[in-house]
Amino acid sequence: MILEVAILNVKSGQEKQFEIDFATAGQFISSIKGYSKHSLRKCLEQTNKYILLVDWENLEDHTIGFRQSAEYLEWKKILHHYYEPFPTVEHYELIIEKRK
């Protein structure tokens, strides 16, 4: 399992519409082979800052399967105009996990 992490800085004043549009865009990413789940979290200290977390079966499911798909073009059309600056996306593999 690979975790995609993106810090999303949304243009100030556009947060509510971004959240609405993000909920709509979720249908495009969730339809891709290898997608497991995603969550969007809002920063408490900086109201226009979000973190996107997406679980993929493997790296290529995101970098090729999603990024080279028609669904990505729709995702991009709905969301990319909100970001300033454009987000950096990183991928992480699990090394240790402990749960209570």
Side-chain angles (χ1 to χ4, degrees):
M1 188 69 60
I2 299 297
L3 176 64
E4 170 196 351
V5 178
I7 304 296
L8 310 175
N9 292 291
V10 172
K11 294 174 186 171
S12 187
Q14 297 186 20
E15 297 89 351
K16 288 296 180 198
Q17 189 60 49
F18 167 73
E19 292 173 16
I20 292 166
D21 287 347
F22 194 95
T24 300
Q27 68 183 315
F28 298 106
I29 195 169
S30 64
S31 69
I32 300 297
K33 176 189 168 292
Y35 164 91
S36 179
K37 66 178 180 177
H38 73 273
S39 65
L40 179 68
R41 299 176 187 213
K42 188 171 186 171
C43 180
L44 297 176
E45 291 80 17
Q46 192 175 336
T47 59
N48 68 321
K49 187 175 189 177
Y50 297 80
I51 188 169
L52 169 62
L53 304 170
V54 185
D55 283 328
W56 297 97
E57 287 182 27
N58 61 62
L59 181 62
E60 293 75 19
D61 290 332
H62 177 232
T63 59
I64 297 170
F66 181 53
R67 289 267 179 96
Q68 295 181 11
S69 70
E71 289 83 356
Y72 178 72
L73 295 177
E74 293 300 316
W75 169 276
K76 181 178 174 179
K77 187 187 316 179
I78 294 169
L79 297 176
H80 283 199
H81 66 277
Y82 285 108
Y83 307 134
E84 193 174 288
F86 195 77
T88 299
V89 176
E90 298 178 316
H91 300 90
Y92 296 84
E93 63 181 340
L94 181 63
I95 302 300
I96 298 170
E97 180 175 55
K98 181 178 183 200
R99 295 181 185 226
K100 189 173 179 179

